[in-house]
Amino acid sequence: PDLYVFGTAGEGYAVSDAMFRRVATIFPQAMHEAGGAPPMIGIVSLSLATMIERIKFCRTLGVDTFQFALPNWAPTSDSEMRRVFAEICDRFGDCRFLHYNLMRAGRLVRPRDYAELAERHPNLVATKYGGGDPFMISGLMTHAPHLRHFLTEQGYYLGAPLGECGLLSSISSSNPRRAREYLDAGRNGEAARFSALYRELCGVLHALLDTAGTSFIDGAYDKVIHKLSEPDFPLALLQPYETASEEVYRQYRDILATHFPAWLPASR
C-alpha cells in the first residue's frame, strides 16, 4: 500500500518549487481517496534550506512521512552528513524519515553510520539502497537491523536471506503481483522459487539495458517500465535530461513478450 512521489521516476531532482507544491498537494488527496497508506514525499535538493522549506509546506498538508537524499554540490563530509540528519530529523520530530542512500549524492552513508544515526534520531526509520554491493547489504542488515532497509531487486536477493527487508520495486514494477511473489519467496525462504524469479529479473534488467543503453538518467528507464502498464504514459523528462524513445519502449516490450511474458502487466 506504500507509495511515494519525487523519486527518480517522479523527477524530484528536477521540479521547480511551484511544480513541487502542486504535485505535493494532489498526491496526499489521491492517496486518501484511494484508501492507501500514509503518503511519502521525496525531498531532493542541492540546498538543505530548500529541503526544510519543502518539508514545512508538506506538513501543512498533513504529510508526516518523507524520503530524503543528501544535498550534493560537493559530497558532504562525515560531520556535514550528520548535520543534515540532525537538521531534518530533529527539526521535525513528529515525522518519519527514510534516507535514500545513493552515490549521486557523492557518497554513501555507511552501515555503522546508520546505527549511530538511528540511535540519535528515533524518527529515522528506514533506508533505501539501490546498489548490489554484498558487503554494503550485509553491513546494513548486521549493524542497523532496527531500520527497515528497502533494496531493489538485485540487492533484495542478497538481503532477504539475512533478515527482514523491503523490496523497492524497480524493474519488477511492470507486474506488481509477480513482484509480490518475489518479495514473499525471499521473505519465506523459498529458495528455489526465489532463485528462479531472480534469474528472470536479471534477464529483464539486461533486456532493458541492452535495448536502451546505459547513458540515460534513472527516470528515463522508470518511465519505459511504467509505460508497459499505461501505453499512453509519456516518456518525456523535464529538461535538460534526454528521453528514451518510443522505439526503445517497443523493443523492450517485444523482448519481454518473447522471453519474459510473465513480467508484462497481468492485463496484457
Side-chain angles (χ1 to χ4, degrees):
D2 297 295
L3 297 173
Y4 66 88
V5 289
F6 296 131
T8 52
E11 300 182 271
Y13 50 83
V15 294
S16 66
D17 284 338
M19 191 179 298
F20 177 89
R21 288 173 175 250
R22 176 64 173 156
V23 176
T25 299
I26 293 171
F27 180 58
Q29 297 172 352
M31 287 290 283
H32 176 72
E33 292 169 2
M40 177 189 290
I41 301 289
I43 306 294
V44 184
S45 176
L46 294 182
S47 164
L48 177 58
T50 297
M51 295 167 69
I52 291 170
E53 286 181 358
R54 288 181 172 184
I55 295 172
K56 285 181 178 178
F57 173 75
C58 292
R59 293 298 291 122
T60 68
L61 305 173
V63 177
D64 62 5
T65 306
F66 298 91
Q67 173 182 158
F68 72 95
L70 292 173
N72 177 31
W73 180 254
T76 55
S77 67
D78 284 353
S79 60
E80 290 167 342
M81 175 269 290
R82 293 185 178 93
R83 181 66 180 273
V84 171
F85 278 83
E87 288 291 325
I88 290 177
C89 295
D90 292 352
R91 187 184 298 264
F92 302 99
D94 59 342
C95 296
R96 300 185 304 161
F97 292 97
L98 175 153
H99 176 245
Y100 186 6
N101 200 19
L102 75 169
M103 277 306 299
R104 288 195 187 281
R107 62 161 297 166
L108 293 176
V109 176
R110 299 173 293 260
R112 291 184 186 274
D113 294 332
Y114 277 130
E116 173 191 329
L117 291 165
E119 183 70 23
R120 290 186 181 184
H121 312 293
N123 57 342
L124 174 65
V125 298
T127 76
K128 170 178 147 185
Y129 173 63
D133 181 356
F135 185 73
M136 180 69 170
I137 292 169
S138 63
L140 293 173
M141 303 301 294
T142 300
H143 298 299
H146 43 304
L147 295 176
R148 174 55 55 87
H149 303 292
F150 289 89
L151 309 170
T152 49
E153 291 83 0
Q154 281 65 41
Y156 182 73
Y157 188 71
L158 300 173
L162 303 177
E164 188 171 359
C165 52
L167 172 64
L168 181 76
S169 185
S170 176
I171 54 172
S172 63
S173 62
S174 59
N175 190 325
R177 182 175 298 177
R178 198 164 183 84
R180 182 58 186 255
E181 290 181 24
Y182 182 59
L183 171 70
D184 290 342
R187 184 178 60 185
N188 298 331
E190 301 170 11
R193 180 61 174 160
F194 194 35
S195 296
L197 290 169
Y198 175 68
R199 285 194 297 271
E200 292 179 8
L201 285 166
C202 287
V204 169
L205 176 61
H206 281 287
L208 178 60
L209 296 181
D210 289 346
T211 301
T214 58
S215 63
F216 294 106
I217 198 166
D218 309 34
Y221 302 101
D222 292 326
K223 290 176 185 290
V224 169
I225 295 167
H226 188 76
K227 191 173 175 66
L228 294 170
S229 300
E230 295 186 57
D232 294 335
F233 188 79
L235 294 174
L237 294 172
L238 296 173
Q239 295 295 328
Y241 298 104
E242 186 178 359
T243 299
S245 67
E246 291 284 338
E247 180 60 24
V248 165
Y249 159 70
R250 287 191 293 269
Q251 289 181 12
Y252 179 56
R253 179 197 61 197
D254 292 346
I255 291 173
L256 293 192
T258 301
H259 299 287
F260 305 102
W263 287 103
L264 288 171
S267 60
R268 290 182 61 85

